[in-house]
Amino acid sequence: MSAIEPGGAPAQPPADGAELVYTLGSSRRVRLREAEAELQGLWETASREAEQAGHEGVVRVREINLVVYAAGDAVAERVSQVILRLAERHPARAIVLLDVGLPAPGEGVTDSWVSAACYLTAQGERQVCWEQVTIPAYGKAVQLLDTAAMPVLVPHLPTVLWWPGQPDFEGEAFRRLGDVTDLLVVDSAGFSHPVEGLGRLATVVRDESRGYHVNDLNWARLTTWREMMAGVFDDASRLDWVPRIRRLKVVFGAEDTFERPDRSTPPAASRALLFVGWFASRLGWGPSTSEWWMEGSSMRTVLHRLQDDQRDGATGPDGPSGDRYSVEVVLQSEALPRDASGGLVAVEVEIGGALGDDGSFVLSIGRVGTSCICETRVKGPADGQITHTADASAVPEDRLLADELDYLGPDHVFEDSLLIAAALAALPGSSAIGRET
Amino acid sequence: MENPFRAGMRLRRVPPPATLVILGVTGDLARRKLLPSLYRLFRKGLLPPGSAILGVARRDWDDEKFRNMVREALDRFVGKGQDERMWEGFAAMLFFCAGDLVDAEAYRTLDDTLISVDAHGPRNGNRLFYLAMPPSTYLDVIDGIGRHGLAGRRGAGWTRIVVEKPFGRDLESARSLNRTLGQWFSEDDVFRIDHYLGKETVQNILVFRLANAIFEPLWNSQYVDHVQITVAEDIGIEQRATYYEEAGAMRDMIQNHALQLLALVAMEPPITFAAGPVRDEKVKALMALRPLGGLEVDKAVVRGQYGPGLSQGEAVVGYLQEEGVAQASTVETFVAMRVFIDSWRWAGVPFYLRTGKRLPKRCTEVAIQFKRPPLPLFGEDVAAETEANVLAMHIQPDEGITLKIASKVPGPTVHVHSVNMDFRYGSSFGAAADAYERLLLDALLGDSTLFARGDGVEVAWAFVDRIIERWRHVDAPGPRIYEAGSWGPKAAEDLVDADRREWRRL
């Protein structure tokens, strides 16, 4: 066992430090079959203490079962901190399945670490309390983690499986845990192979037999960028720009903040592909049978305007490749200062003149200098310059996860975007994306 | 054609670009509530590119001075240390127009300024006027807006107006206000704001009732014993003697907040959750209120006025000693009343309303008290120690819902204790947005579900006018004096005591 108690009782206050955390007893190692009784004992003690202190008792809140697959102690420690902060918005019964990565000692999955904690209000009352069960598994027992989780799932609550890092999508553990899951949350930015991993995730999304919905924190990080792009077209007079789009360029950060084997491709490369996938799916564009090629310091490919093809008398201007139904996609990585926290740097949309003339202009959304603040600008004769400002700071993992848990249903826009992103990732030459600089 | 990029954006309703014209922008409401709420909306990306905020006030300011004022207001009411670039983006939306709206010239200047501001961005002629001015100016300002051609639509754009409560001071003035509004604006473009309706728990009353199949079957006279609505404040009248001497608790609280809450509790399910059907049902519930008039008022309504006492541990003066209050003022600072709704659903169920200033705490809640079980199955002793089931919806300060249920205390004998099942918004979903934030967004989106409608306002005034009329009568009992920091005069206790009930201890 590591020096750190897996799932040990959290000691740090939540991110904003507004309230304090009170741990109910210390994290205790018990037989898995005794975990439920141990939790019950913690609550009874807490309730008695609260009554003795003249408070109204404790409020034990569980909105969901949050099952987390943690590959190693370091991940388990990190997810425990996220669970602590997450409890402010989505108190859950968290079940951390810890893949210890050591050969089986021959006893399978038998132990668990149990802890519970509450936020204290300013008056010292325990406002809301939650609980965590950490189950270490060794060797082959990892494949049977679903059987370890099932006894401690709270009945009749939705079950969310959060899998930090890249799952072994074909593996037994992933398949079996999927059977007890309502929503799978991954972070494709943390995949071992960010670009290739999108294809694997798309395979899961395409599988109609799966009984759960899929979400991706890497996708959630695009929300501000998507909002800003959508904001431009809230003005209906700009909708006629759409058929005149010639080029979509996405610039992304080259740095890597994730620990993973393939550090040659920055995680923001997959985020850039998801943005292109979103943009294309909203406009009914699809990948062509083209490929990625390098031009200067950027990677390029071509998308087809499928809807335009289907429209009678479509009159789009010629694209850069000479095909008037095609749109050029450009991906480029750029080194960012550390404090810019990775992610996208800029999105530029080149729009042709109304009559196919030279009155083209560029709609750009980009960081101001190296800051986390983004501005929207339209440069060119077709419109005066407009500016919109939004904060595109990196969002902490707990907030991203909390946003995803606000809505446990399907995200069809994500699914559509992922499928196109995966198709782009599968084109010849894609392996060079993010390695061009 | 719809914006293709908006499709599938979860839970985001972004309004189209518009110019928001705040009339009376240097006032307390604008600084404390409106400008901070607009900044929060901007920060969340809910004020789209091309939006503008045009402040109008008498001061001889330019845009720069106005921006300085806004910055100070944000520092104070949102917090210092706002990101400079975010602020710059917001500041670029801010414009100022100096003018005294009693003067016709001011409207011409306003028109010119609006044209100039509109030229800075693609707002499609969308305009939202916000009356953040003293109610006494409403009629003239609305008329001025209309007469100078500012109320009309521009192309495909819309022009809306937000009016702050109070909507008149009696039925006649409310009708006059509605007539003036109706002369220049269609009812769909008028947004009468009662910020209580923007609070999450108030919105949740309907969700709780109608999205949970287990409660609505109980929501009637067969199962509900009575309903209590409390709107309590611990503060006095602050520096608002001039207003309060004209208003009193009946006009200030009962006519709007308390009756709006009552309407949400008592209304029938709407056919859809849209502005028209929801407001239709609320108005019907108010129309079913049994009128109180003449001597009935003396039996069913208690009015009180706070005397000196301790508020939150500090000695405070009585109402009559407050600065600006007439020496022999009979204005009520407390009202408790028993009302009935003569509908099939609520026949015979009393609704107890109470509101007051200088009560022990600031607290607003709606409590549904259910009837007791029909049989004392566990013996008379157990029945005596068992409290009735109560469903309480806490509106402020902590928004949430509590359900009180009876449960056996473990042990060899049957002892029953009441336990509370609590749901607090802050605990389960994080902090809720400010009510003004929600209501401003709705007004920009054109969604009037959470705003009062003209006919509803008039029905509420008709109800309270009869009570006030009785109070003017020479033989009507005057306000009972209650000690500041108490729950009101003893007569309020007697009111419910006579029905063998009691006020909830809050």
Side-chain angles (χ1 to χ4, degrees), chain B residues 205-245:
Chain B
I205 291 174
L206 284 188
V207 174
F208 196 79
R209 278 183 59 186
L210 305 173
N212 295 298
I214 59 171
F215 291 109
E216 190 55 22
L218 310 179
W219 214 262
N220 55 53
S221 61
Q222 196 175 346
Y223 295 100
V224 174
D225 181 74
H226 71 277
V227 177
Q228 290 189 22
I229 297 175
T230 301
V231 185
E233 294 180 290
D234 57 354
I235 57 170
I237 56 168
E238 309 288 284
Q239 279 79 46
R240 298 167 67 221
T242 311
Y243 162 73
Y244 210 81
E245 280 281 277

Side-chain angles (χ1 to χ4, degrees), chain B residues 247-251 254 293-294 296-304 330-337 464-479:
Chain B
M250 184 62 87
R251 290 189 177 94
I254 298 288
E296 289 165 309
V297 173
D298 301 350
K299 293 181 196 159
V301 186
V302 173
R303 58 174 165 158
T330 58
V331 167
E332 78 287 355
T333 61
F334 176 93
V335 174
M337 59 200 299
V464 302
D465 266 8
R466 286 168 60 96
I467 298 169
I468 293 170
E469 180 58 35
R470 167 61 190 163
W471 286 349
R472 288 202 191 100
H473 203 273
V474 69
D475 65 356

Side-chain angles (χ1 to χ4, degrees), chain A residues 188-191 193-198 216 218 222 250-258 260 262-277 292 299 329-334 342-345 421-422 424-425 430-436:
Chain A
S188 61
F191 281 3
H193 306 281
V195 172
E196 182 204 350
L198 289 179
D216 181 1
N218 200 25
L222 287 173
V250 181
V251 184
F252 57 93
E255 78 282 14
D256 193 347
T257 52
F258 286 82
R260 45 195 184 77
D262 174 19
R263 294 182 65 82
S264 56
T265 308
S270 60
R271 205 171 313 160
L273 280 170
L274 283 170
F275 187 88
V276 174
W292 289 96
M299 295 296 294
V329 172
V330 181
L331 295 185
Q332 187 175 311
S333 67
E334 193 173 277
L344 301 196
V345 178
L424 288 169
S430 65
S431 58
I433 293 173
R435 299 175 184 176
E436 64 270 24

Side-chain angles (χ1 to χ4, degrees), chain A residues 69-313:
Chain A
Y69 173 87
D73 287 343
V75 178
E77 190 181 358
R78 182 167 66 83
V79 299
S80 292
Q81 293 302 314
V82 173
I83 290 164
L84 159 68
R85 295 187 182 94
L86 182 72
E88 253 189 318
R89 267 173 70 184
H90 293 289
R93 170 169 289 186
I95 301 162
V96 178
L97 304 174
L98 172 57
D99 179 354
V100 180
L102 297 171
E107 54 183 302
V109 177
T110 55
D111 287 348
S112 65
W113 293 78
V114 172
S115 63
C118 306
Y119 282 117
L120 292 181
T121 64
Q123 291 75 36
E125 294 182 22
R126 291 162 197 174
Q127 190 183 21
V128 56
C129 308
W130 71 99
E131 55 208 16
Q132 180 172 328
V133 181
T134 301
I135 305 172
Y138 300 82
K140 286 186 179 172
V142 170
Q143 293 175 6
L144 307 176
L145 275 172
D146 60 315
T147 57
M150 276 193 285
V152 283
L153 290 174
V154 181
H156 309 301
L157 281 185
T159 297
V160 177
L161 172 60
W162 173 31
W163 198 298
Q166 181 165 339
D168 174 4
F169 290 108
E170 287 83 33
E172 189 69 358
F174 180 78
R175 187 188 64 74
R176 292 176 61 129
L177 281 168
D179 289 342
V180 296
T181 295
D182 297 297
L183 172 68
L184 167 69
V185 179
V186 294
D187 186 350
S188 61
F191 281 3
S192 313
H193 306 281
V195 172
E196 182 204 350
L198 289 179
R200 304 211 172 230
L201 186 59
T203 305
V204 174
V205 166
R206 271 192 221 101
D207 178 7
E208 291 180 359
S209 67
R210 75 187 146 83
Y212 52 86
H213 306 301
V214 181
N215 261 320
D216 181 1
L217 300 185
N218 200 25
W219 162 256
R221 292 186 185 96
L222 287 173
T223 301
T224 303
W225 293 83
R226 290 165 56 217
E227 289 283 357
M228 290 190 80
M229 183 60 74
V232 174
F233 292 92
D234 281 333
D235 179 349
S237 69
R238 298 199 182 104
L239 290 174
D240 70 354
W241 295 355
V242 169
R244 294 190 273 131
I245 294 173
R246 292 172 171 176
R247 179 182 293 119
L248 170 64
K249 179 178 178 182
V250 181
V251 184
F252 57 93
E255 78 282 14
D256 193 347
T257 52
F258 286 82
E259 288 292 336
R260 45 195 184 77
D262 174 19
R263 294 182 65 82
S264 56
T265 308
S270 60
R271 205 171 313 160
L273 280 170
L274 283 170
F275 187 88
V276 174
W278 170 69
F279 199 92
S281 70
R282 294 305 87 201
L283 300 181
W285 302 349
S288 67
T289 53
S290 181
E291 60 183 3
W292 289 96
W293 70 91
M294 188 174 284
E295 197 172 305
S297 62
S298 59
M299 295 296 294
R300 292 164 191 252
T301 189
V302 171
L303 288 173
H304 278 303
R305 302 165 186 272
L306 299 182
Q307 283 188 342
D308 287 359
D309 268 335
Q310 290 154 4
R311 282 188 203 133
D312 291 335

